[in-house]
Amino acid sequence: MGAYAALTPVVSKIFCSSSQAVLMVRRRPPTVNGGGFVVTDRDQRVVFSVDGCGSIGASGQLIVRDGDGTAILFIHKKVKPTQD
């Protein structure tokens, strides 16, 4: 890469804190349409969750949700074009 690369944020500033926060990440067991991770604060409130690590569903796709369950980021594997 060059000396400088323009960075584009993928998460809004409203999800950033100006102070440090202690968070705990727990891995949920893989289930048919669940699994993933849950990030909680010291008061056990869900801050973020990651869904899409289940055994059924689209492979290589994850959804990051905020504490209210609203999807804020969709992550998927890049698909290589097939050559005919």
Side-chain angles (χ1 to χ4, degrees):
M1 291 204 124
Y4 175 79
L7 299 176
T8 304
V10 294
V11 177
S12 173
K13 288 183 180 182
I14 65 171
F15 297 105
C16 299
S17 175
S18 60
S19 61
Q20 290 184 359
V22 176
L23 302 174
M24 182 174 76
V25 178
R26 288 184 298 124
R27 184 175 187 163
R28 294 183 297 192
T31 59
V32 172
N33 54 3
F37 298 88
V38 176
V39 180
T40 56
D41 63 10
R42 285 184 173 184
D43 298 322
Q44 298 300 310
R45 290 182 299 228
V46 175
V47 180
F48 293 102
S49 63
V50 180
D51 298 325
C53 302
S55 58
I56 294 180
S59 178
Q61 296 182 354
L62 301 174
I63 300 173
V64 179
R65 300 180 186 275
D66 65 8
D68 296 325
T70 304
I72 58 173
L73 185 63
F74 178 71
I75 304 169
H76 63 91
K77 287 184 180 180
K78 186 175 182 179
V79 179
K80 293 180 182 180
T82 58
Q83 295 179 353
D84 294 327

